[in-house]
Amino acid sequence: MTIVVTGGAGFIGSNFVLGWLAGSDEPVVNLDRLTYAGNLANLASVADDARHIFVRGDIADDALVGSLLKTHRPRAIVNFAAESHVDRSIHGPEDFIQTNIVGTFRLLESVRGYWNELPEAERDAFRFLHVSTDEVYGSLASDEPAFKETNRYEPNSPYSASKAASDHLVRAYHHTYGLPVLTTNCSNNYGPYQFPEKLIPLVIHNALAGRALPIYGDGRNVRDWLYVGDHCTGIQRVLEAGRSGETYNIGGWNEMANIDVVHAVCDILDRACPKAAGGSYRTQVTFVKDRPGHDQRYAIDATKIERELGWRPQQTFASGIETTVRWYLDHQDWVDSVTNGSYRDWVATQYA
């Protein structure tokens, strides 16, 4: 028995691989193109583990994917592979179209060909789990109920539009070809190994370097925050017991405004790593011009996965953010390795 994980050197994917190998003897074939956000250092602890088979490559490479499926005969595919940063999608949408739409299409085609040739019992047991985002649902007003799986898709950025398209392709392959698929839509993840272009690791990195903590607009945009370890256990539970063809929202039940998240990070840093000159890291907060089309609020209603599969997040925001900040403090070597010249140039351009 084997599973294939795509994008397994990225933030969520690597956390999933590490969690899977910590709790199971089932091997993982990890396919990742190693773009700027993919990092084998995330997987250093399993580098010599025979259960972890890493392959550098693209989900759009039909020959490579077909060969991997034929060789390893997985019982499931978990698809994390995606371009995922809204800001980058605004500046360069084509990469998102190619990876999230064309890449997902080609992966589905490869998987469909493999699945069609399986014996009946293996066909019935096979699953293709597609990891997506709450951003496909659009933006909520402050008084609107949280997103349910039945919400209409209303994506507002090139990133969310490309993920919405990939979700539709996965659904179509189930209804047209019978491919046994599962889709998960998660809220904002945070935790270890997150590339420091996203809010929480960016704030930690800039705070310690004495730089400005850039906050879009007035900082009142609201997100539902989900600790990455909880997200990964949710995905495992959906893979284990989710109903073929169904979508499951995975959320943290932690709605917070961005400015409140930043203040929480600053307060932990004030205790754990006080500034030499005294004072709070909060003084480094700087409000910058809002990004185009910035969604006001996301919120996930995760009732379905709790009712049907018995999953609920274990971390509160208070416990998860404490763990996260301390992880970054303890892993400055990892941060230093990923914040190279191209990263600094990107941040300077984005928050000028």
Side-chain angles (χ1 to χ4, degrees):
M1 305 290 283
T2 301
I3 67 168
V4 168
V5 172
T6 69
F11 164 46
I12 304 175
S14 62
N15 275 279
F16 179 85
V17 169
L18 294 174
W20 182 271
L21 294 175
S24 171
D25 288 330
E26 185 172 5
V28 175
V29 179
N30 182 353
L31 176 65
D32 196 295
R33 191 157 58 100
L34 294 183
T35 60
Y36 75 94
N39 188 351
L40 283 179
N42 300 1
L43 300 161
S45 63
V46 295
D48 298 322
D49 192 327
R51 298 170 301 160
H52 179 237
I53 303 161
F54 178 78
V55 179
R56 183 171 186 173
D58 194 331
I59 58 172
D61 186 336
D62 302 332
L64 174 61
V65 174
S67 175
L68 288 178
L69 297 177
K70 183 178 180 180
T71 300
H72 297 283
R73 295 183 62 82
R75 67 174 181 90
I77 314 290
V78 183
N79 181 34
F80 292 98
E83 294 285 346
S84 65
H85 190 37
V86 174
D87 292 347
R88 288 182 185 264
S89 81
I90 293 170
H91 288 280
E94 186 169 353
D95 287 344
F96 291 74
I97 304 305
Q98 290 300 321
T99 297
N100 299 354
I101 302 178
V102 177
T104 300
F105 160 68
R106 296 204 177 280
L107 178 62
L108 284 166
E109 278 288 274
S110 297
V111 171
R112 180 167 71 96
Y114 163 74
W115 175 74
N116 277 330
E117 296 180 357
L118 290 175
E120 184 177 357
E122 293 180 36
R123 280 168 52 90
D124 292 342
F126 182 84
R127 293 293 184 270
F128 178 95
L129 192 154
H130 177 65
V131 180
S132 191
T133 172
D134 57 1
E135 297 191 37
V136 299
Y137 299 122
S139 184
L140 292 169
S142 60
D143 58 349
E144 287 185 289
F147 298 130
K148 293 187 177 182
E149 291 82 355
T150 53
N151 271 62
R152 183 173 66 183
Y153 274 32
E154 296 181 328
N156 291 321
S157 71
Y159 162 60
S160 57
S162 67
K163 287 300 288 183
S166 69
D167 292 6
H168 290 322
L169 284 169
V170 171
R171 174 185 171 86
Y173 271 65
H174 175 70
H175 286 273
T176 301
Y177 303 114
L179 188 68
V181 305
L182 299 156
T183 298
T184 58
N185 294 87
C186 69
S187 54
N188 274 41
N189 278 221
Y190 67 99
Y193 300 114
Q194 188 170 31
F195 192 74
E197 63 186 358
K198 301 295 179 74
L199 179 64
I200 289 172
L202 174 68
V203 166
I204 297 169
H205 180 59
N206 278 18
L208 296 175
R211 292 193 285 266
L213 311 182
I215 310 298
Y216 285 132
D218 62 3
R220 302 313 304 175
N221 300 79
V222 172
R223 302 293 183 259
D224 172 20
W225 294 93
L226 173 66
Y227 185 69
V228 67
D230 281 333
H231 184 198
C232 292
T233 63
I235 292 170
Q236 288 192 41
R237 184 60 185 146
V238 172
L239 183 62
E240 177 183 37
R243 290 182 289 130
S244 177
E246 289 293 311
T247 295
Y248 294 89
N249 283 349
I250 304 179
W253 301 104
N254 286 307
E255 285 189 61
M256 292 184 67
N258 288 343
I259 187 62
D260 295 330
V261 171
V262 173
H263 285 164
V265 171
C266 290
D267 293 347
I268 296 170
L269 289 173
D270 286 343
R271 299 194 309 271
C273 188
K275 297 171 74 170
S280 173
Y281 289 99
R282 289 193 183 203
T283 60
Q284 295 169 225
V285 169
T286 303
F287 294 96
V288 298
K289 182 180 178 181
D290 209 353
R291 73 182 180 205
H294 197 177
D295 290 337
Q296 182 58 39
R297 173 176 168 247
Y298 304 143
I300 280 282
D301 183 335
T303 301
K304 179 179 177 179
I305 189 174
E306 181 174 3
R307 183 183 65 246
E308 291 192 12
L309 306 181
W311 177 89
R312 188 173 176 88
Q314 297 301 301
Q315 296 278 2
T316 65
F317 183 77
S319 64
I321 197 64
E322 184 82 29
T323 298
T324 298
V325 172
R326 292 187 179 275
W327 185 90
Y328 280 92
L329 290 174
D330 292 340
H331 293 82
Q332 277 299 303
D333 54 341
W334 181 90
V335 177
D336 292 342
S337 73
V338 299
T339 51
N340 57 21
S342 61
Y343 168 80
R344 290 192 294 272
D345 292 344
W346 159 255
V347 171
T349 299
Q350 182 60 30
Y351 296 105

